Amino acid sequence: MKIQLALDRVDMDEAIAIASAVSDSVDWIEVGTSLVKEFGMQSIRTMREVFPHKTILADMKTFDNAAYEMKLCFEAGANVATVMGAAPMATIELCKRVADEYGAHVMIDLLNVSADKVDELRRLTGVTWCYHVSKDEQEGQGTSAVSLSLATRPTGVRAAAAGGITVDSIPHFSRLGVDILVVGSAITKARDPREAARYFREVIEENANERELVER
Amino acid sequence: MKIQLALDRVDMDEAIAIASAVSDSVDWIEVGTSLVKEFGMQSIRTMREVFPHKTILADMKTFDNAAYEMKLCFEAGANVATVMGAAPMATIELCKRVADEYGAHVMIDLLNVSADKVDELRRLTGVTWCYHVSKDEQEGQGTSAVSLSLATRPTGVRAAAAGGITVDSIPHFSRLGVDILVVGSAITKARDPREAARYFREVIEENANERELVER
């Protein structure tokens, strides 16, 4: 299981400081939507400069104008970009097409997507589905990604989970076969982010080993 | 009927040049999502500096993290901000609350919103609903906002229309009582944007006068 470090609601200096502290323990660095909207594509370019070899995800949350937005972030150095599952299929399919041209990858954010739309999304393979409970829902309703059912996930699609994820939820997501765990404040707001990230990695490895033993 | 000039897929110099050329004929200046994501909040701050007295709309297309994103754009000088109607109600209501604190206004973008969600949105008055056919749908399917039904619009809510709008569609939207016409490439891509905007304004005034005569 990969760790995607979500960086949001910080300035670029803080984002770089946190990412530098934890980069050994995390797999993907997410430039969050708030950084994209506050600092524009400079946020992606800066991260690419500082981390030339890391996988960088641009949380574009694209809803329209897919070709232009995807090109923006891939040209700036992103390897992965998000599109909203609630967007029109034309937009989502266009994101995938542009990502393919760049050798990049698309993550579909399933936030607030209807069951019918989930069914429609099944026809698009080679992408990642991100099961997501939003920040505003977490704060308003006290929910987190642990409450989500991942039963809808088709074959040929990777799964990510995002929203209020803590170390305690690792066994749950490990059992569900989640590929990417999106972790924000449990690392970035920890007293010692480096130590928090290391602990996430450690518990993920333990769970992977245990599952391997069970499956033998 | 107001004209909202939508600026997208240009750099800031071009955006300023177009807006300066047409500002006498348009009411609101929209800093499009592509400018927000490419140049960050600097795009809003620049527009506010150049047009200290114009109504500036930030096409944030917020889907989560409402309080932070609304504060970002209102602090940067926007008077109006968009939130996606497809976002969770918690996010949309939070956008409205923050806008109220700033004496600002929220436009709900109805792009790809289900009929059920439209019903849910009725409980939030004092906002603008933007009936919207996306750029990707226009290009993929040849549709435009003229094809949309505005029958769902409740009282206490202003209506905007966006997506492939031309001068020819003014009588249609005027009859429907649309308050804000969002115009992009029909002005920005015109051979003479100043003249195109002036003509939009002229036809809008003519239609308003005709309607006044009819209604007497």
Side-chain angles (χ1 to χ4, degrees):
Chain A
M1 195 156 54
K2 286 182 168 30
I3 301 176
Q4 174 179 326
L5 173 73
L7 296 166
D8 258 307
R9 295 176 295 280
V10 289
D11 65 27
M12 287 309 299
D13 287 346
E14 286 173 88
I16 292 166
I18 296 168
S20 301
V22 310
S23 70
D24 288 348
S25 302
V26 305
D27 301 283
W28 290 11
I29 296 175
E30 171 195 325
V31 179
T33 311
S34 62
L35 296 188
V36 166
K37 290 182 180 171
E38 191 163 359
F39 306 111
M41 284 304 104
Q42 190 55 46
S43 62
I44 313 282
R45 285 192 291 270
T46 301
M47 276 296 162
R48 174 49 69 216
E49 274 170 37
V50 179
F51 301 100
H53 305 299
K54 273 282 185 203
T55 295
I56 291 177
L57 178 142
D59 194 9
M60 298 294 282
K61 286 194 168 54
T62 293
F63 210 97
D64 187 16
N65 202 10
Y68 194 87
E69 291 198 3
M70 290 296 107
K71 280 177 197 164
L72 271 186
C73 72
F74 296 141
E75 293 281 345
N79 312 95
V80 189
T82 61
V83 57
M84 297 313 296
M89 278 308 288
T91 297
I92 298 170
E93 287 168 340
L94 200 47
C95 285
K96 173 74 168 73
R97 207 144 64 225
V98 176
D100 287 346
E101 284 166 23
Y102 279 85
H105 189 79
V106 166
M107 181 182 280
I108 302 178
D109 185 332
L110 298 182
L111 181 49
N112 224 32
V113 167
S114 68
D116 284 352
K117 187 60 179 292
V118 167
D119 272 343
E120 221 180 333
L121 289 171
R122 290 172 176 279
R123 67 174 193 244
L124 203 66
T125 54
V127 296
T128 299
W129 282 15
C130 182
Y131 294 85
H132 186 188
V133 170
S134 72
K135 181 180 179 291
D136 293 340
E137 287 170 311
Q138 288 171 55
E139 292 177 353
Q141 297 149 30
T143 50
S144 84
V146 172
S147 63
L148 296 171
S149 162
L150 275 63
T152 49
R153 179 187 174 195
T155 51
V157 158
R158 286 198 288 193
I165 284 172
T166 61
V167 166
D168 296 341
S169 46
I170 290 172
H172 171 76
F173 290 114
S174 179
R175 265 193 308 277
L176 291 173
V178 162
D179 304 286
I180 301 152
L181 214 53
V182 183
V183 187
S185 50
I187 290 178
T188 61
K189 296 266 177 70
R191 208 175 311 169
D192 183 343
R194 187 194 304 265
E195 201 38 59
R198 227 182 251 154
Y199 188 49
F200 258 91
R201 170 62 61 206
E202 191 185 309
V203 177
I204 285 173
E205 301 304 336
E206 278 172 18
N207 269 273
N209 293 339
E210 273 169 36
R211 284 185 54 78
E212 212 174 304
L213 284 172
V214 169
E215 281 159 10
R216 255 182 211 159
Chain B
M1 196 155 56
K2 284 181 168 31
I3 300 177
Q4 174 180 327
L5 172 74
L7 296 166
D8 258 306
R9 296 176 294 281
V10 288
D11 65 26
M12 287 310 298
D13 287 345
E14 286 172 272
I16 291 166
I18 296 168
S20 300
V22 309
S23 70
D24 288 349
S25 302
V26 305
D27 302 283
W28 291 10
I29 296 175
E30 172 195 324
V31 180
T33 311
S34 63
L35 297 189
V36 166
K37 289 183 180 170
E38 190 163 359
F39 307 111
M41 284 303 105
Q42 190 56 45
S43 62
I44 313 282
R45 284 192 292 270
T46 301
M47 276 296 163
R48 175 48 69 215
E49 273 169 38
V50 179
F51 301 100
H53 305 300
K54 273 284 184 200
T55 295
I56 292 177
L57 178 142
D59 194 9
M60 298 295 280
K61 285 194 168 54
T62 294
F63 210 99
D64 188 17
N65 202 9
Y68 193 87
E69 291 198 3
M70 290 297 108
K71 279 177 197 164
L72 271 187
C73 73
F74 296 142
E75 294 282 345
N79 311 95
V80 189
T82 60
V83 57
M84 298 313 295
M89 278 307 289
T91 297
I92 299 170
E93 287 168 340
L94 199 47
C95 285
K96 174 73 168 77
R97 208 145 63 226
V98 176
D100 286 347
E101 284 167 22
Y102 278 85
H105 189 79
V106 166
M107 181 182 280
I108 302 178
D109 186 332
L110 298 182
L111 181 50
N112 225 32
V113 167
S114 68
D116 284 352
K117 187 60 180 293
V118 167
D119 272 344
E120 222 181 333
L121 289 170
R122 288 172 178 279
R123 68 174 193 245
L124 203 65
T125 54
V127 295
T128 299
W129 282 16
C130 182
Y131 294 85
H132 186 187
V133 170
S134 72
K135 181 178 179 293
D136 292 341
E137 286 170 313
Q138 288 171 55
E139 291 177 355
Q141 296 149 31
T143 50
S144 84
V146 172
S147 63
L148 296 172
S149 162
L150 276 63
T152 50
R153 179 188 174 196
T155 51
V157 158
R158 285 198 288 192
I165 284 173
T166 61
V167 165
D168 296 341
S169 45
I170 291 172
H172 171 75
F173 290 115
S174 178
R175 266 193 309 276
L176 291 173
V178 162
D179 304 287
I180 301 152
L181 215 52
V182 183
V183 186
S185 50
I187 291 177
T188 62
K189 296 266 177 70
R191 208 176 310 170
D192 183 342
R194 185 193 305 265
E195 201 38 58
R198 226 181 252 156
Y199 187 49
F200 259 92
R201 171 62 61 205
E202 191 184 310
V203 177
I204 286 173
E205 301 303 338
E206 278 172 18
N207 269 273
N209 293 340
E210 274 168 37
R211 284 183 55 76
E212 212 173 303
L213 285 172
V214 168
E215 280 160 9
R216 256 182 209 160

